[in-house]
Amino acid sequence: MNVLDIEGVCKIYGEKENEVKALVNINFSVKQGEFIAIVGTSGSGKSTLLNIIGGLDTPTKGKVIIKNRDIASLKRKELTIFRRRNIGFVFQDYSLMPVLNVYDNVALPVTFDKGKRVDHRYIEILLKDLGIWEKRTKYPSELSGGQQQRAAIARALANKPAIILADEPTGNLDSRTTSEVMGLLKNSSKKYKQTILMVTHNEVIAQCCDRIIRIEDGEVYMEGGDRG
Ligand SMILES: Nc1ncnc2c1ncn2[C@@H]1O[C@H](COP(=O)(O)OP(=O)(O)O)[C@@H](O)[C@H]1O
Ligand SMILES: [Mg+2]
């Protein structure tokens, strides 16, 4: 089953002489559980693509279909709920809430979701899997970059989303922490059958993924073979 279909997605920023064609006719499908690397030079459209898939930005043309729903058909409020339940975001700068401790940061997406009870057992498992259970009462400022990124990953996984969108999640980490964080993402995608789309500059990391989607000047120019 495809968890995601991108159909003819274009994104143009600005108008007339200021026009920037950030994405030009992007088409691809992603199966449940696939771990995909998105690579390309700076300014090629990677973040724009991820933001459009996550419903943080809208395409100028084309469709994003997640679990057989065209996300453009959702009203604003519906989209917010749909996004919270189906998509987990991991950003390069972690984007943790400074006034909340690790545990509360991770539980936040569930807390937001009215009518959904926080599965404390699941959050405990996540924090233990990610090696930050002992840090659960610490605040983001008390953690290293790698620990903050683990907390951000735990938060992205807390709602058991079908899709994880990660924009250069290891961009600010040293190489040892990078390979640890990569291992954690890979494990969780296997364990919870989650689909991951991860933007990376790191060719070695990209080679560890199931598939590589290369973007240049807003176009997909080559897809690596399926490595199963
Ligand atoms: N909000 C915006 N307004 C205008 N141009 C933008 C905006 N966001 C991105 N762009 C332009 O779109 C292109 C793709 O940007 P981006 O998706 O951030 O690339 P990447 O993440 O691959 O570095 C770039 O030329 C960038 O300058
Ligand atoms: Mg970017």
Side-chain angles (χ1 to χ4, degrees):
M1 181 193 115
N2 288 344
V3 72
L4 171 68
D5 291 291
I6 312 285
E7 297 179 358
V9 164
C10 300
K11 179 69 181 181
I12 299 172
Y13 289 112
E15 284 177 0
K16 292 180 184 158
E17 65 273 16
N18 296 323
E19 196 176 278
V20 177
K21 288 194 173 105
L23 296 175
V24 185
N25 193 26
I26 302 275
N27 296 280
F28 64 86
S29 294
V30 178
K31 292 194 179 69
Q32 192 190 347
E34 262 193 295
F35 194 160
I36 292 183
I38 298 174
V39 300
T41 52
S42 182
S44 57
K46 305 180 299 295
S47 295
T48 301
L49 177 62
L50 231 55
N51 290 343
I52 286 175
I53 293 171
L56 299 176
D57 200 350
T58 52
T60 308
K61 232 171 74 185
K63 284 181 183 170
V64 174
I65 296 161
I66 295 175
K67 299 210 290 194
N68 294 321
R69 291 192 77 171
D70 180 347
I71 63 170
S73 70
L74 301 170
K75 295 192 186 74
R76 245 183 73 128
K77 260 192 172 162
E78 290 173 334
L79 177 62
T80 303
I81 294 167
F82 184 82
R83 189 164 55 211
R84 201 183 289 139
R85 292 190 177 165
N86 292 288
I87 299 171
F89 290 95
V90 185
F91 301 100
Q92 184 173 2
D93 63 2
Y94 323 131
S95 303
L96 296 168
M97 302 283 283
V99 296
L100 297 179
N101 69 26
V102 166
Y103 192 96
D104 292 338
N105 259 291
V106 172
L108 195 63
V110 193
T111 316
F112 268 140
D113 201 342
K114 290 197 194 76
K116 202 169 171 183
R117 283 187 41 217
V118 178
D119 184 346
H120 292 286
R121 178 77 193 115
Y122 182 63
I123 290 176
E124 183 179 338
I125 292 169
L126 277 178
L127 292 177
K128 284 182 174 166
D129 274 0
L130 288 161
I132 48 169
W133 174 245
E134 291 72 31
K135 304 283 178 195
R136 64 191 178 281
T137 59
K138 300 273 186 221
Y139 290 84
S141 62
E142 300 175 283
L143 304 180
S144 70
Q147 290 163 344
Q148 288 184 56
Q149 193 55 300
R150 285 155 196 262
I153 290 169
R155 181 189 52 190
L157 300 175
N159 260 348
K160 302 181 184 127
I163 301 176
I164 315 280
L165 301 175
D167 200 347
E168 304 193 46
T170 60
N172 288 328
L173 304 176
D174 60 44
S175 62
R176 207 194 72 189
T177 316
T178 291
S179 48
E180 280 173 17
V181 165
M182 277 302 297
L184 295 166
L185 279 172
K186 240 185 150 164
N187 280 346
S188 103
S189 92
K190 291 278 168 291
K191 191 165 166 187
Y192 305 112
K193 293 191 175 56
Q194 281 155 326
T195 301
I196 302 182
L197 281 91
M198 183 187 66
V199 171
T200 180
H201 268 113
N202 188 324
E203 193 62 36
V204 177
I205 288 179
Q207 294 296 338
C208 300
C209 296
D210 297 326
R211 179 151 59 115
I212 301 176
I213 292 178
R214 293 181 193 277
I215 298 190
E216 214 43 74
D217 296 328
E219 290 183 81
V220 174
Y221 77 84
M222 193 193 89
E223 284 191 37
D226 193 336
R227 294 152 67 90

